[in-house]
Amino acid sequence: MKADLIIKNIDNLITLKGPNRPRVKEEMEDIGLIKNGIVATRGDRIVYVGKGELPEDIERHEETIIIDGKGKTLTPGLVDSHTHLVHGGSREHELAMKLKGATYLEILEAGGGIHNTVKETRRASFNELYEKAKKSLDIMLSFGITTVEAKSGYGLDDFDTEIKQMEVAKKLNEDHPVDVVSTFMAAHAIPPKYKDNPRAFMDLIIDEMIPYVAKKRLAQFNDVFCEKGVFTIDETRDILLAGMEHGLLPKVHADEIEPLGGAEMAAEIGCISAEHLVAASDRGIRMMAERGVIATLLPATSFNLQTGKFARARRMIEEGVAVALATDYNPGSCPTENIQLVMSLASIIMKLTPEEVITAVTINGAAALKLEDEIGSIEVGKKADLVIFDAPNLDYIIYHFGINHTDKVIKAGKIAFEKHNNIL
Ligand code: NIG
Ligand code: FE
């Protein structure tokens, strides 16, 4: 067989080889490290993974690209399994409010926060949303992200805006090298006109929006912001169950700020993932482990909310919950696309080991998007999504924090990003 791309002499080839399912407990430490590794790809697939030289049956052709991996670390493409990618405007004015002590929920309650972005997103044209999100996708790609989840949720009861967001995500998935997986999340805040009657908004979501989104295949997942002052546990359950009836897989923003029992509910109905979980209870964590619900943790959000409270990742791993890490990129609680910073925060603050961290942003993130058979590890037959880090080992990427370590990003077998040192 002839290879199109060969990366050889890789100091640290981190394969994540193992079962195509979320990794738990000590499995999260087992990153399938190969020293002096070599990887070959053909078309969009990985055709060889090993050590030293290629076997004879893998040949070069005239245009085969050969990359030297000396001094480099290679990982699977990173999976950002929780973002609010498509939105209008920005909310830098909230910084001063937060510095004066206003909390995220106070700003939301006062009609700011998500409601502010809803106004901007309604106002923005398809093209404006597309160009803004494309810019973010470019940044994400440059940080090594090859697959991203994108939630709607800045239209709320304005269904056209919800659809506009999902259509933008769909078009970007077609046009941009990064794969975009769509999640429907109209249940992101209670629109002011439904403040005293949230059930009427839920009826709209359940009876009109969900059937339409499912029929038009605009999203694969369904998500709800289950939080004090937003959707209650019972309301969240109803919306997620309604989505399941139409084939939308349930995810949930759970126990982000107040311990409402979102983790328990996620386990009870079998969510694919529960996300945030900063205030998740011991019982909720145990139930998630038993039911196999992935915990998607978002430490950059905790950092930016200035609460000093982070999800109990160590406890979750000890109890057997599969942990994924994501940026939560959005204009309010987490305006960053830098997943490498998230990786450092997860390690430095949440005390995950570098091995657990890389598992959380590859195979476990892939599993949170139901893509574990396609991506998330470097194995023959999987999609050739690869990141070459200009770093001698994994620890170095986490330790030298806040900067971008990528040298090249390969998406579906093609070089999609390359670092240039254009210092003039
Ligand atoms: O995941 N918590 C709710 N949703 C987002 C924030 C969205 C926003 O503030 O615009 C989150 O943090
Ligand atoms: Fe979120």
Side-chain angles (χ1 to χ4, degrees):
M1 183 199 295
K2 298 211 192 290
D4 296 327
L5 183 112
I6 297 166
I7 311 168
K8 58 180 191 177
N9 304 327
I10 307 158
D11 271 14
N12 286 282
L13 165 54
I14 295 170
T15 66
L16 274 301
K17 184 174 173 339
N20 285 342
R21 57 161 173 77
R23 311 282 168 81
V24 295
K25 293 197 166 176
E26 55 282 355
E27 290 173 356
M28 288 188 73
E29 291 281 350
D30 184 8
I31 59 170
L33 176 67
I34 301 175
K35 294 272 185 188
N36 188 27
I38 184 158
V39 174
T41 71
R42 180 175 171 80
D44 68 350
R45 298 286 137 178
I46 296 166
V47 293
Y48 184 78
V49 185
K51 193 178 173 70
E53 297 299 321
L54 285 179
E56 274 171 13
D57 61 326
I58 311 254
E59 297 167 1
R60 300 172 187 192
H61 56 73
E62 276 169 18
E63 276 151 38
T64 301
I65 296 169
I66 316 269
I67 298 172
D68 187 15
K70 193 89 217 114
K72 308 281 197 286
T73 297
L74 186 79
T75 73
L78 307 182
V79 180
D80 192 352
S81 58
H82 178 144
T83 87
H84 305 254
L85 174 71
V86 183
H87 59 260
S90 60
R91 312 218 299 262
E92 58 273 32
H93 60 274
E94 286 179 10
L95 174 61
M97 297 161 81
K98 279 192 279 181
L99 291 176
K100 286 199 187 108
T103 68
Y104 181 81
L105 288 182
E106 281 164 6
I107 296 170
L108 181 67
E109 174 90 9
I114 291 172
H115 297 296
N116 188 301
T117 302
V118 167
K119 280 187 204 115
E120 297 281 358
T121 308
R122 286 179 184 180
R123 216 181 348 239
S125 68
F126 181 96
N127 281 343
E128 283 163 348
L129 292 179
Y130 179 93
E131 289 305 325
K132 181 169 159 62
K134 181 179 174 298
K135 215 166 153 184
S136 283
L137 271 188
D138 290 345
I139 299 172
M140 288 173 170
L141 178 68
S142 79
F143 278 107
I145 293 169
T146 49
T147 302
V148 66
E149 185 249 20
K151 301 179 196 289
S152 71
Y154 293 118
L156 308 179
D157 55 328
D158 176 359
F159 194 20
D160 288 349
T161 301
E162 286 290 321
I163 294 172
K164 184 169 64 173
Q165 276 187 272
M166 289 180 282
E167 297 276 13
V168 167
K170 187 172 165 197
K171 179 103 171 67
L172 283 166
N173 183 44
E174 289 160 10
D175 299 353
H176 197 279
V178 174
D179 286 329
V180 183
V181 176
S182 208
T183 296
F184 171 65
M185 199 183 175
H188 197 195
I190 311 280
K193 80 170 194 236
Y194 292 97
K195 215 168 171 183
D196 301 319
N197 189 10
R199 276 278 155 190
F201 179 40
M202 287 174 59
D203 288 346
L204 181 66
I205 293 175
I206 291 171
D207 299 337
E208 289 174 41
M209 295 183 172
I210 285 176
Y212 183 90
V213 169
K215 186 161 149 248
K216 295 276 179 188
R217 296 183 184 280
L218 283 170
Q220 195 185 342
F221 296 96
N222 185 24
D223 196 344
V224 177
F225 188 13
C226 180
E227 185 58 68
K228 188 175 157 213
V230 194
F231 291 91
T232 66
I233 292 283
D234 288 340
E235 291 165 351
T236 302
R237 188 191 296 106
D238 287 354
I239 296 167
L240 293 179
L241 289 176
M244 286 160 83
E245 276 175 28
H246 289 270
L248 296 179
L249 302 175
K251 287 178 169 288
V252 61
H253 280 59
D255 302 325
E256 177 180 357
I257 297 159
E258 296 291 334
L260 295 192
E264 289 87 331
M265 190 273 304
E268 182 204 309
I269 69 165
C271 283
I272 304 301
S273 58
E275 328 208 330
H276 288 284
L277 298 169
V278 175
S281 72
D282 290 351
R283 179 164 170 268
I285 292 171
R286 268 198 308 278
M287 286 175 69
M288 282 179 61
E290 275 159 26
R291 190 69 201 263
V293 181
I294 296 170
T296 302
L297 306 184
L298 312 159
T301 308
S302 291
F303 170 74
N304 187 59
L305 288 181
Q306 306 177 26
T307 57
K309 292 184 190 142
F310 287 76
R312 293 185 294 155
R314 280 256 58 86
R315 171 96 188 206
M316 293 176 194
I317 292 176
E318 276 155 25
E319 292 282 352
V321 177
V323 168
L325 288 163
T327 60
D328 193 18
Y329 169 67
N330 74 73
S333 69
C334 199
T336 185
E337 297 92 342
N338 186 347
I339 197 161
Q340 293 176 43
L341 176 62
V342 169
M343 291 162 69
S344 293
L345 293 173
S347 191
I348 296 163
I349 304 177
M350 291 173 156
K351 309 298 177 200
L352 296 195
T353 66
E355 288 77 13
E356 289 167 337
V357 167
I358 197 71
T359 303
V361 292
T362 56
I363 188 71
N364 283 7
L369 299 182
K370 285 278 175 208
L371 289 171
E372 64 273 24
D373 292 333
E374 267 291 287
I375 56 170
S377 63
I378 303 179
E379 295 181 86
V380 170
K382 278 202 167 176
K383 207 185 240 186
D385 291 0
L386 308 165
V387 187
I388 304 173
F389 287 98
D390 186 12
N393 54 58
L394 175 62
D395 286 10
Y396 186 87
I397 299 168
I398 309 268
Y399 138 92
H400 188 165
F401 69 91
I403 68 152
N404 189 358
H405 292 279
T406 51
D407 179 51
K408 290 182 182 54
V409 183
I410 290 137
K411 176 64 195 177
K414 295 207 172 73
I415 299 175
F417 170 79
E418 199 158 16
K419 182 176 80 179
H420 290 288
N421 288 314
N422 290 335
I423 296 170
L424 304 174

